[in-house]
Amino acid sequence: LGSNRLFSNATSYQRPVLMLLDRHIDLSCLLQHPWTYQALVHDLLRWRLNQVVVDGRLLATDSHAGGGSKSYDLDVSKDPFWKADVSKPFPTVIEDIEQTILAYKEDSDKISQSTRLDGGEDMGGGGGGGGSGLNPTASLNTKGLVTAIEAIPEMQERKKVIDAHTNIATAISNQIKQRELDSFFILEESMMHGGAYDKELLFQLLTDSQRGTPPDKMRLFLIYFMCTESIPEPALTTITDALTAAGCDLTAFSYAKTIKSISSTSAFASQFSARAEKKGGDQWGMRALQSVYGKGKGLLSQGIKNFLPSDKAGVTTRIVEGLMDMKTTGEVENYLYLDPKLPVGQSVDFRNRPAFREGMAFIVGGGNFIEYGNIKEYMAKKEVPRTIMYGCTEFVTSDGFLSQLSQLGNL
């Protein structure tokens, strides 16, 4: 790569570590309904090569029928709002959009006022021919007009950004309300982090054909199945029958059962153990799950639950942390450390080896922004921050990954 270094310590004595992980260590995070801005854009809208396409039907309201598709470029180097809010929970993004609109209107009003004629009297006293005929506000208004003209490019760019994110947020918000995605998110987040959850709500979302789409139901059901050590057979039969009646394709469930059965003595066992240890502390297993940003001042936030995503480490994040700390037990006990500088056949000596501060985690299989964000944010909060690069075979949407599981279930 020449002089373009991937890591800041590339010239120091401590080398970065490359971690190769298999997708089967955690299938749940690829099925989870997201709650942060970037992950929602990726999961709910058509996003490719930093361009997102919003279907006009997703912008329809009671007073507006919607129009054709709109496309927007999302580039952190050119879009300050996207750069600032890319990893924030969606309710926070809505608030930030509202604040950005208010700030734009205030600046626009100031510019308008600075160019407005107020009918001031002529300089030099009364009428007749004795006065100079000059309006004392004329120079001020001219300066204001010049300032306004100079501000036009900036104001146009700000409006362009506001319009883009307002439409994107509206499209996301409408889908959240129509499909009750906030309820799916709450349940999945709780189950994946070992917390208690509302089983009645779970059953309602899985069995009520009017709540969520068939893929939404299958994603929730698969997470429930993989995050629960054992499910009574009668309950499982009742749920699968209801899913079939709702139009769900259970082929992915066949593959999930196979993976769970062959993994129960290794990766899944450690995951269940970790989740069991967390129960009894935080009722939901979430950071301030019941804290609310507010009822929501704008139309976008009406009808959306304002919960925060968990700040706890996911399965992949815990494995990455363990590998960087040079641990050899727990979830990383079956990983093999290889050092290209050692002679062939010589194993790595873990004694007195400092923890890695930089590394790359590469997932052999699909990846998504939920997993990437969890690794990045968790490692940044460490007492000694870690720099992690994240890679995967492909970034896939949750519905796309569900389709892949169905194809595997048919084999």
Side-chain angles (χ1 to χ4, degrees):
L1 296 178
S3 60
N4 296 322
R5 304 189 187 280
L6 294 176
F7 302 101
S8 60
N9 287 336
T11 58
S12 71
Y13 70 93
Q14 188 182 57
R15 293 168 292 162
V17 59
L18 170 63
M19 295 160 280
L20 298 178
L21 312 175
D22 190 87
R23 178 67 276 160
H24 289 100
I25 61 174
D26 184 17
L27 301 180
S28 299
C29 71
L30 267 291
L31 296 166
Q32 184 183 9
H33 288 83
W35 199 239
T36 56
Y37 194 25
Q38 185 180 42
L40 281 166
V41 170
H42 177 246
D43 200 55
L44 300 181
L45 306 178
R46 288 180 289 165
W47 185 23
R48 179 176 173 79
L49 300 178
N50 290 338
Q51 185 178 74
V52 60
V53 178
V54 178
D55 191 327
R57 291 171 295 181
L58 298 177
L59 303 176
T61 61
D62 293 338
S63 59
H64 185 260
S69 298
K70 302 177 183 294
S71 61
Y72 305 100
D73 293 324
L74 299 178
D75 189 336
V76 293
S77 65
K78 300 177 182 179
D79 187 336
F81 187 90
W82 179 246
K83 181 178 181 179
D85 284 52
V86 66
S87 300
K88 291 184 179 180
F90 188 62
T92 307
V93 174
I94 293 176
E95 290 190 349
D96 290 347
I97 290 175
E98 293 172 349
Q99 293 300 320
T100 302
I101 292 174
L102 289 176
Y104 175 82
K105 288 182 177 179
E106 290 177 359
D107 292 344
S108 181
D109 290 342
K110 289 179 182 179
I111 293 175
S112 298
Q113 291 173 3
S114 69
T115 60
R116 189 176 301 152
L117 293 173
D118 58 7
E121 294 183 358
D122 292 344
M123 294 180 63
S132 65
L134 295 177
N135 188 320
T137 65
S139 60
L140 293 177
N141 288 326
T142 301
K143 291 181 180 179
L145 185 59
V146 172
T147 301
I149 294 174
E150 293 176 346
I152 287 176
E154 178 190 353
M155 296 297 288
Q156 287 179 333
E157 188 62 29
R158 287 174 61 183
K159 187 176 185 303
K160 179 181 176 182
V161 170
I162 290 173
D163 290 344
H165 288 284
T166 299
N167 285 336
I168 291 172
T170 299
I172 292 174
S173 179
N174 286 340
Q175 291 199 68
I176 290 175
K177 297 171 189 176
Q178 293 168 7
R179 296 161 55 184
E180 297 188 49
L181 298 184
D182 44 2
S183 296
F184 282 90
F185 161 75
I186 292 169
L187 285 172
E188 293 165 356
E189 189 83 344
S190 302
M191 289 186 287
M192 291 176 64
H193 292 281
Y197 54 89
D198 189 339
K199 292 186 178 180
E200 182 178 351
L201 176 60
L202 170 66
F203 186 78
Q204 290 174 355
L205 291 177
L206 291 177
T207 58
D208 189 343
S209 60
Q210 303 300 315
R211 306 181 72 172
T213 63
D216 289 330
K217 295 178 184 296
M218 277 303 300
R219 287 159 59 181
L220 174 61
F221 169 61
L222 291 175
I223 291 174
Y224 169 60
F225 174 74
M226 290 184 288
C227 293
T228 306
E229 191 165 4
S230 63
I231 302 175
E233 191 62 32
L236 193 60
T237 301
T238 300
I239 293 174
T240 53
D241 289 345
L243 291 173
T244 302
C248 296
D249 179 4
L250 297 182
T251 311
F253 177 49
S254 300
Y255 183 73
K257 286 192 294 185
T258 302
I259 293 299
K260 186 174 180 178
S261 63
I262 65 177
S263 305
S264 59
T265 59
S266 54
F268 270 87
S270 60
Q271 291 177 35
F272 291 136
S273 176
R275 290 185 177 111
E277 292 174 359
K278 296 174 185 176
K279 291 184 178 179
D282 182 353
Q283 180 185 5
W284 283 91
M286 297 175 65
R287 171 174 54 94
L289 179 64
Q290 296 178 343
S291 68
V292 179
Y293 278 65
K295 295 298 183 181
K297 301 176 182 178
L299 293 174
L300 291 180
S301 57
Q302 292 180 0
I304 296 178
K305 299 180 178 68
N306 296 286
F307 294 115
L308 297 173
S310 172
D311 64 349
K312 295 182 179 179
V315 175
T316 305
T317 302
R318 296 198 303 269
I319 291 175
V320 168
E321 180 184 29
L323 293 175
M324 295 193 73
D325 288 340
M326 302 290 288
K327 294 179 180 178
T328 58
T329 59
E331 292 174 302
V332 297
E333 63 180 346
N334 294 322
Y335 284 83
L336 178 65
Y337 285 84
L338 301 174
D339 190 338
K341 287 192 173 183
L342 294 179
V344 177
Q346 183 175 339
S347 61
V348 177
D349 184 2
F350 296 97
R351 294 172 298 178
N352 301 319
R353 282 290 291 266
F356 291 100
R357 293 188 180 182
E358 297 177 321
M360 171 185 284
F362 188 88
I363 311 295
V364 182
N368 65 8
F369 287 103
I370 298 177
E371 187 171 61
Y372 162 70
N374 187 260
I375 294 174
K376 181 180 178 181
E377 293 181 13
Y378 186 82
M379 291 301 177
K381 294 177 182 177
K382 299 281 290 183
E383 185 175 350
V384 178
R386 312 283 178 83
T387 301
I388 302 291
M389 292 187 66
Y390 176 83
C392 55
T393 305
E394 62 173 332
F395 265 79
V396 294
T397 64
S398 296
D399 285 351
F401 186 67
L402 178 63
S403 177
Q404 291 181 5
L405 295 182
S406 296
Q407 293 177 25
L408 292 171
N410 281 321
L411 296 179

